[in-house]
Amino acid sequence: MNVREVIRYRELLFFLVWRDVKIRYKQTILGAAWAVLQPLLTMIVFTVFFGRLTKVPSDGIPYPVFSYAALLPWTFFAAAITNAGNSLIANTDLLTKVYFPREILPISTVLAGLVDLGIASLLLFALLPIYGITPDWGIVMLPVAIALLVVLAVGLGMFLEAINVSYRDVKYALPFTVQLLLFITPVIYPTTVVPERFRSLMFLNPLSGIIETCRSALLPDRPIQWGQLGVSALVTAVVFVLGARYFHATERRFADII
């Protein structure tokens, strides 16, 4: 990825982010409330079926807080890679008429999702005192985990978009893949329920360490697993570099194929 070119076109990047934010809930009745409703309703369903009926462990944390703290980064990531994976196709007219660094499109869609994440986070910080939870110093790691999540979404989004330009199967396979990914990521359950011999494989999924860090950052007496976070950071860096290189190697023929 050409960082200098992205910085040079930063005004276009900010414009595209603002455009995505404005049109996301245009002509909707509830508007930005949808940013809260999606993780909130999912949390309620998870709490009833997994927290109450099937008694999924939550490491002693009230299940609504346990699940919502993970659903926030998960919902952001799922929406980010889905939107980023279709960003070039959705902006065909702009892509074929004007020159600009093509990676700005997937980056802008990911950054726009941070607005929804911020809005939905307000409910989480309202839930914490209701359950008598006060975050400790670990909360300083929350921005670090979110930054890793953004980098991972951008890298994977660029890779998926580059493939999507040539093979439109990505459009149909991506929602199904995201659903499967939910069940191999510790959103519904904690990593402690996974047998010890399988945990190392689980942490090859960078979302595992990132989401567990988000929980630990918000919930006191839950130590941050630095080893998990380190593996997630390493895998995230690899995904970003490979995604950016593949995107750059194929971007010259985007306008012709689209």
Side-chain angles (χ1 to χ4, degrees):
M1 183 172 70
N2 193 329
V3 178
R4 287 186 178 181
E5 281 287 279
V6 173
I7 295 175
R8 181 184 171 191
Y9 284 83
R10 61 186 179 277
E11 292 184 2
L12 175 61
L13 175 61
F14 295 149
F15 169 79
L16 292 174
V17 171
W18 179 238
R19 182 203 65 175
D20 287 349
V21 171
K22 286 199 304 182
I23 68 174
R24 181 163 297 172
Y25 303 113
K26 187 178 181 181
Q27 295 181 326
T28 61
I29 296 176
L30 297 179
W34 283 111
V36 178
L37 281 175
Q38 183 176 350
L40 173 61
L41 294 177
T42 307
M43 178 266 285
I44 292 172
V45 172
F46 281 7
T47 299
V48 171
F49 285 95
F50 298 110
R52 297 292 176 86
L53 297 180
T54 59
K55 306 294 184 182
V56 172
S58 59
D59 290 348
I61 302 162
Y63 197 86
V65 176
F66 175 85
S67 59
Y68 196 78
L71 279 168
L72 285 182
W74 167 258
T75 302
F76 164 78
F77 178 79
I81 63 170
T82 300
N83 293 332
N86 293 290
S87 58
L88 293 182
I89 305 300
N91 291 274
T92 301
D93 292 341
L94 183 63
L95 185 66
T96 56
K97 293 178 180 178
V98 182
Y99 170 77
F100 60 91
R102 305 316 193 199
E103 52 264 53
I104 279 183
L105 289 174
I107 292 173
S108 66
T109 58
V110 172
L111 294 181
L114 289 174
V115 176
D116 287 353
L117 179 61
I119 295 172
S121 297
L122 297 177
L123 178 59
L124 175 61
F125 286 102
L127 281 175
L128 293 180
I130 292 175
Y131 286 94
I133 298 173
T134 303
D136 56 15
W137 67 269
I139 198 170
V140 300
M141 292 302 297
L142 186 59
V144 176
I146 298 302
L148 283 176
L149 197 61
V150 170
V151 173
L152 178 63
V154 169
L156 191 55
M158 286 192 293
F159 176 72
L160 292 172
E161 185 54 83
I163 297 177
N164 194 23
V165 170
S166 299
Y167 307 101
R168 302 302 167 86
D169 305 73
V170 173
K171 177 181 178 181
Y172 305 103
L174 189 53
F176 174 69
T177 304
V178 168
Q179 287 181 340
L180 291 180
L181 188 59
L182 172 64
F183 294 99
I184 60 172
T185 302
V187 175
I188 299 170
Y189 53 87
T191 55
T192 52
V193 304
V194 179
E196 191 79 33
R197 62 184 182 276
F198 295 127
R199 287 184 195 173
S200 57
L201 292 175
M202 184 178 190
F203 290 128
L204 291 178
N205 170 11
L207 286 173
S208 297
I210 293 173
I211 286 179
E212 284 290 84
T213 300
C214 287
R215 280 196 180 115
S216 298
L218 291 165
L219 306 172
D221 302 322
R222 184 183 174 89
I224 293 174
Q225 302 297 321
W226 298 104
Q228 298 175 11
L229 183 59
V231 172
S232 292
L234 179 61
V235 176
T236 295
V238 171
V239 169
F240 180 82
V241 170
L242 293 179
R245 287 189 174 183
Y246 184 77
F247 188 95
H248 180 68
T250 56
E251 67 176 333
R252 293 182 182 87
R253 51 195 178 89
F254 285 168
D256 295 331
I257 297 175
I258 290 180

